[in-house]
Amino acid sequence: MEEHFDVAVLGMGPGGEVAASRLLKAGTKVAVIERELIGGECAYWACVPSKTLLRPPEARTAAARAAGVRGAELDWAAASDYRDYMIRHLDDKAQVDGYTGQGATVIKAEGRMTGPGTLQAGDRTITADHIIIATGSEAVIPDLEGAEDVTTWTNRETFTSTTLPGRAVVIGGSAVGVETATFLARFGVNVTLVHRGTGLLEREEPRVGELARLYLQEAAVKVRLGVRAVRARRDGTDSFLELDDGTSVSTDVVIFATGRRPRSKDLGFETAGVALDARGAVQVDEHCRAADNVWAIGDATGVMPFTHVAKYQGRIVADAILGRPRPASYEGIPRVVFGDPEIAAAGITQAQADEQGRATAFAELDLPKSLTRPWTYEQEPHGNLGLLTDTDEGILIGAWAVSPLAGEWIHQASLAIRAKVPIAVLHDQVAQFPSYSEAFQTALDNLKYRKETL
């Protein structure tokens, strides 16, 4: 027997939740289908547990740097207990009851599309006027000889672990790798980070990667760049990761922070006319439409795979279904790595601007040399801000900050980029004294044209 709905949401991570909630509030008949836990990867195995566990060592480090504070200590048992509370003890009963109470039909089963407007979820056949694909992504685990002989983790095991290893090798130099290494090292684990690239956070400005490496090393992380893991092996009670430069690292666990791929394989999307790219990402238009009456949001689209982008796309799709279509814009969306200090960016890089043929000016500001706030915030302060402007258009097009609280005050740049606020207006902004936001004014006063730096 078929069950018909106005909208079926396939996958209930952050994007699916936003879309479903918006549609339910509008009185739409909605079915939500989730194979694991409502809330998705972010709520249980990624963003929430990782940021919860990164906070205690950040607070201890901040306390050590603040004048007149002594005795801050870490308590792993208390931190992991609070982590378990934050991830709901891997139980989504409250979420199931909440959506049921809002009028949704909640189906906990693996779902797949079987044709236009049709889904199979467990033993239930669902038809819907609209289907929203929100199936998220899954960790990429590269082939590694001998991996089966040693203990290997992804983000799931790392950030839900009840005990910490004595030694860990993190493979990967992206945001996940940097956050994982920071968390473990600050909790006393002997960490080596191995990355095949020549710099960390390679999607950002090279300077950001340099600073990330510096602060990881200050946290006692051994950073090995330009090397690949070729084999894992066990020798008695010890495990080793062999690298392509002939060296090896002893470890208790190998952690893969090697990226994620859209979860789209064998889910029948093609039966409804949905196109996938080579990575398996669902191809969407500016309204997140994937085919007639089929929509896709979040990591499944491969478009800026961040939780906040999935939520934004959820709003875009829900509004389109409700007859209020508007195109999605990805300009100026912030990107934050919760390292110590935080690493934040928005807009494009110099390399991207060069590819676009844009005339630019750039400034990098050493915050302690230019502002009062870093000195009121901590002893021996640190932090840097970079700005990139388009000199023809007279607007900000890129920004990055490696600094305490950077994930909060980067939003000033994010909004300026997104709204194309003229540089003249930014120059006239009056920032609170003392604050990190004063840095924008000072950096704008020190712009150098691209030709001066070539």
Side-chain angles (χ1 to χ4, degrees):
M1 178 179 174
E2 291 184 351
E3 302 171 77
H4 185 75
F5 298 87
D6 297 326
V7 183
V9 183
L10 182 57
M12 282 293 283
E17 285 204 90
V18 167
S21 296
R22 209 171 181 90
L23 291 164
L24 287 166
K25 286 180 181 178
T28 305
K29 185 180 180 183
V30 177
V32 300
I33 304 165
E34 173 56 52
R35 69 185 184 119
E36 290 188 302
L37 299 173
I38 291 179
E41 190 80 16
C42 176
Y44 298 96
W45 300 286
C47 318
V48 171
S50 65
K51 279 53 177 181
T52 300
L53 291 174
L54 281 159
R55 175 57 184 153
E58 177 192 50
R60 185 187 68 169
T61 302
R65 290 172 175 162
V69 181
R70 294 181 180 177
E73 297 295 337
L74 290 175
D75 183 335
W76 169 248
S80 59
D81 281 349
Y82 186 63
R83 180 270 321 274
D84 291 344
Y85 163 77
M86 287 298 294
I87 63 174
R88 307 158 186 159
H89 299 277
L90 300 180
D91 182 354
D92 67 347
K93 182 179 184 303
Q95 283 62 48
V96 171
D97 291 346
Y99 281 105
T100 301
Q102 293 178 63
T105 296
V106 179
I107 303 171
K108 295 296 294 294
E110 177 82 61
R112 65 185 309 274
M113 297 181 71
T114 54
T118 307
L119 291 158
Q120 190 69 33
D123 59 359
R124 301 172 75 162
T125 300
I126 305 297
T127 62
D129 296 332
H130 298 272
I131 294 174
I132 301 174
I133 296 170
T135 48
S137 61
E138 57 195 6
V140 172
I141 301 177
D143 291 334
L144 176 64
E145 182 183 346
E148 67 278 5
D149 298 324
V150 302
T151 300
T152 59
W153 289 356
T154 65
N155 64 286
R156 288 198 169 196
E157 294 81 10
T158 301
F159 291 111
T160 59
S161 177
T162 56
T163 59
L164 296 177
R167 302 166 297 175
V169 176
V170 178
I171 301 178
S174 65
V176 174
V178 170
E179 289 185 355
T180 300
T182 300
F183 149 59
L184 292 172
R186 291 298 190 190
F187 268 104
V189 178
N190 186 324
V191 180
T192 301
L193 185 149
V194 174
H195 181 49
R196 63 185 181 181
T198 57
L200 301 176
L201 304 174
E202 290 170 308
R203 295 181 181 179
E204 305 299 344
E205 295 285 3
R207 178 65 171 148
V208 174
E210 292 173 7
L211 291 168
R213 180 180 184 180
L214 171 65
Y215 292 122
L216 281 176
Q217 290 173 330
E218 285 189 2
V221 176
K222 303 175 189 68
V223 180
R224 301 285 307 276
L225 299 178
V227 291
R228 293 173 182 263
V230 294
R231 187 164 76 98
R233 61 180 174 84
R234 185 179 293 276
D235 185 356
T237 59
D238 280 335
S239 296
F240 296 87
L241 186 69
E242 296 182 357
L243 307 177
D244 64 358
D245 65 353
T247 64
S248 64
V249 183
S250 59
T251 188
D252 299 311
V253 60
V254 174
I255 301 175
F256 292 112
T258 42
R260 302 184 67 82
R261 66 168 63 91
R263 199 178 76 83
S264 59
K265 186 177 180 181
D266 299 326
L267 295 181
F269 297 161
E270 299 89 341
T271 65
V274 173
L276 307 177
D277 70 9
R279 301 169 299 157
V282 177
Q283 300 297 281
V284 295
D285 66 11
E286 60 184 358
H287 298 285
C288 296
R289 182 184 291 105
D292 289 342
N293 299 322
V294 180
W295 314 81
I297 59 179
D299 286 12
T301 69
V303 178
M304 298 189 75
F306 303 122
T307 294
H308 45 294
V309 173
K311 290 183 171 184
Y312 171 60
Q313 291 176 323
R315 300 196 301 270
I316 291 289
V317 166
D319 287 353
I321 290 173
L322 294 172
R324 303 189 296 268
R326 56 194 171 95
S329 169
Y330 303 102
E331 285 190 282
I333 288 176
R335 309 179 294 274
V336 179
V337 181
F338 290 81
D340 188 3
E342 291 181 354
I343 302 163
I348 65 175
T349 64
Q350 182 68 67
Q352 291 169 324
D354 291 345
E355 288 176 3
Q356 296 173 18
R358 302 177 82 151
T360 61
F362 174 77
E364 180 179 338
L365 193 69
D366 185 309
L367 301 183
K369 291 182 179 180
S370 308
L371 305 178
T372 300
R373 180 54 174 157
W375 294 93
T376 66
Y377 191 83
E378 60 187 354
Q379 303 174 95
E380 300 180 7
H382 54 299
N384 299 74
L385 168 70
L387 297 183
L388 182 67
T389 68
D390 184 308
T391 56
D392 290 336
E393 295 186 54
I395 57 173
L396 186 69
I397 57 174
W400 59 263
V402 181
S403 161
L405 306 176
E408 302 296 332
W409 55 274
I410 195 65
H411 288 82
Q412 183 171 336
S414 174
L415 180 58
I417 294 167
R418 193 168 181 81
K420 293 181 170 57
V421 177
I423 294 296
V425 175
L426 297 178
H427 264 300
D428 198 47
Q429 171 68 20
V430 180
Q432 170 67 39
F433 175 86
S435 68
Y436 284 105
S437 290
E438 285 185 284
F440 291 108
Q441 178 72 54
T442 307
L444 289 170
D445 287 338
N446 290 278
L447 288 169
K448 294 182 179 181
Y449 287 94
R450 177 64 169 158
K451 65 182 179 182
E452 296 176 31
T453 59
L454 290 177

